Amino acid sequence: MRSSRSRPQPFERIAPYYDRIMQEVEYEEWVRYVESFFPWAKGEVREVLDLACGTGTPTKILVQHGYRVVGIDRSVAMLRVARRKLGPEVPLIAADLRKFALRKQFDAVLCLFDSLNNLLTELELSEAFENVRRHLRDGGVFVFDVNTIYALEHYWGNDVKVKEHGDLITIWRTTYLPGNRLSRLDFTVFAPDEEAPGCYRRVDELHLERGYPLKTLKTLLNRAGFRRVYLFRHLTRYTASEKDLRVTFVAR
Ligand SMILES: C[S@@+](CC[C@H](N)C(=O)[O-])C[C@H]1O[C@@H](n2cnc3c(N)ncnc32)[C@H](O)[C@@H]1O
């Protein structure tokens, strides 16, 4: 068994395995849910910016649904997978979602699958929200979701989970640090080594997610210029609470 235990940027080393690890995720349903908020924009939604697009699964579904989509992610390895999936036509940009600058505004901006929990300070979140505001046309909608503090503390918690995804094995070791509402995920993938049949390649990554009170997120959105902010229990139209695991925000 080979071991490689250095810790590069999150999502760089697991990128080739990400889609298999996430194969249970109901992306089609998720994207339909997000699209159900597009009529909340003033005017038609045609151009969509998919922030933290990762390997581009939601991006692809949106393209199939007829939207013109641009994807942004800071992980070049995730974008490499996305490029294979999406072909040459869809613009994909390697950039930090807090800092990218396009000479263009969109009808809708999305940031899905708790990507914003990867921002570890309120300052970083504010930078992200302000940058989204700059890239959203007047009346456009911003839709994103977060893991709640409750989810990080009680669902991720302090735990070790082992999962199988076909011939891949993953280990999820989570530690919750209540003082700063930070969850540490030590993530390991064992994947069959194509160069050495019968052996597995080991890949380790460290992922950190911070939980934010819903009220704080709303305040930061208001400060960034979003006047109307709605919070829903994920995949529903029920008003969100701190006890939900995932909350979807719709802001304009
Ligand atoms: C859980 S994945 C979600 C990918 C995709 N949205 C999906 O639904 O499958 C989180 C993504 O956020 C990206 N990411 C995290 N922080 C980022 C940042 N500051 N700027 C751009 N991308 C970021 C990671 O590289 C990763 O691809």
Side-chain angles (χ1 to χ4, degrees):
M1 189 181 306
R2 283 200 201 159
S3 173
S4 170
R5 309 190 71 174
S6 61
R7 299 223 189 260
Q9 282 290 309
F11 297 99
E12 283 298 322
R13 301 199 65 202
I14 63 158
Y17 312 112
Y18 183 85
D19 284 349
R20 278 152 74 196
I21 294 166
M22 297 302 169
Q23 65 197 0
E24 309 276 290
V25 177
E26 300 280 358
Y27 276 110
E28 186 73 47
E29 181 193 9
W30 195 328
V31 172
R32 290 266 179 221
Y33 175 65
V34 168
E35 282 179 69
S36 75
F37 297 109
F38 287 179
W40 294 25
K42 286 194 192 124
E44 206 181 335
V45 170
R46 273 182 288 203
E47 300 204 274
V48 179
L49 179 60
D50 185 10
L51 290 181
C53 65
T55 59
T57 304
T59 324
K60 183 171 179 180
I61 295 169
L62 287 159
V63 170
Q64 286 167 340
H65 291 182
Y67 300 97
R68 283 200 296 279
V69 193
V70 173
I72 290 188
D73 200 283
R74 76 173 169 197
S75 163
V76 171
M78 293 290 267
L79 289 179
R80 204 173 292 131
V81 179
R83 174 60 70 215
R84 278 202 298 275
K85 196 181 289 173
L86 292 160
E89 303 297 325
V90 178
L92 295 174
I93 300 163
D96 191 305
L97 60 88
R98 295 169 296 151
K99 295 187 182 145
F100 69 94
L102 305 177
R103 276 190 232 114
K104 188 174 168 50
Q105 289 190 316
F106 294 81
D107 304 314
V109 178
L110 314 179
C111 190
L112 307 183
F113 217 159
D114 51 86
S115 300
L116 288 179
N117 290 97
N118 289 262
L119 303 186
L120 300 181
T121 65
E122 287 185 22
L123 177 64
E124 289 184 353
L125 266 182
S126 290
E127 288 171 346
F129 291 160
E130 282 161 20
N131 207 17
V132 170
R133 187 61 268 173
R134 282 193 282 278
H135 289 85
L136 195 61
R137 69 155 168 81
D138 277 347
V141 279
F142 176 31
V143 185
F144 67 94
D145 60 86
V146 289
N147 276 329
T148 58
I149 296 169
Y150 183 83
L152 296 181
E153 185 168 5
H154 298 285
Y155 184 68
W156 285 30
N158 294 300
D159 201 5
V160 181
K161 289 192 182 82
V162 179
K163 299 184 190 176
E164 280 184 85
H165 322 261
D167 57 3
L168 286 185
I169 297 159
T170 55
I171 304 175
W172 311 61
R173 279 162 292 170
T174 44
T175 313
Y176 184 68
L177 306 162
N180 40 15
R181 306 185 308 270
L182 197 66
S183 183
R184 176 191 167 109
L185 167 63
D186 285 283
F187 189 58
T188 301
V189 181
F190 287 101
D193 187 340
E194 281 156 22
E195 290 162 23
C199 296
Y200 279 77
R201 189 182 287 268
R202 173 176 175 159
V203 172
D204 292 292
E205 276 192 354
L206 168 63
H207 291 210
L208 296 173
E209 288 209 3
R210 172 155 282 149
Y212 294 92
L214 299 178
K215 211 172 144 199
T216 302
L217 290 164
K218 194 163 183 276
T219 303
L220 296 179
L221 283 162
N222 290 149
R223 274 194 211 142
F226 292 95
R227 282 196 221 119
R228 297 190 180 256
V229 179
Y230 306 88
L231 288 69
F232 300 103
R233 180 186 304 163
H234 187 54
L235 298 179
T236 78
R237 289 287 168 99
Y238 292 113
T239 303
S241 95
E242 294 284 4
K243 287 278 173 76
D244 292 323
L245 295 178
R246 184 179 297 279
V247 169
T248 292
F249 280 69
V250 183
R252 57 185 171 94

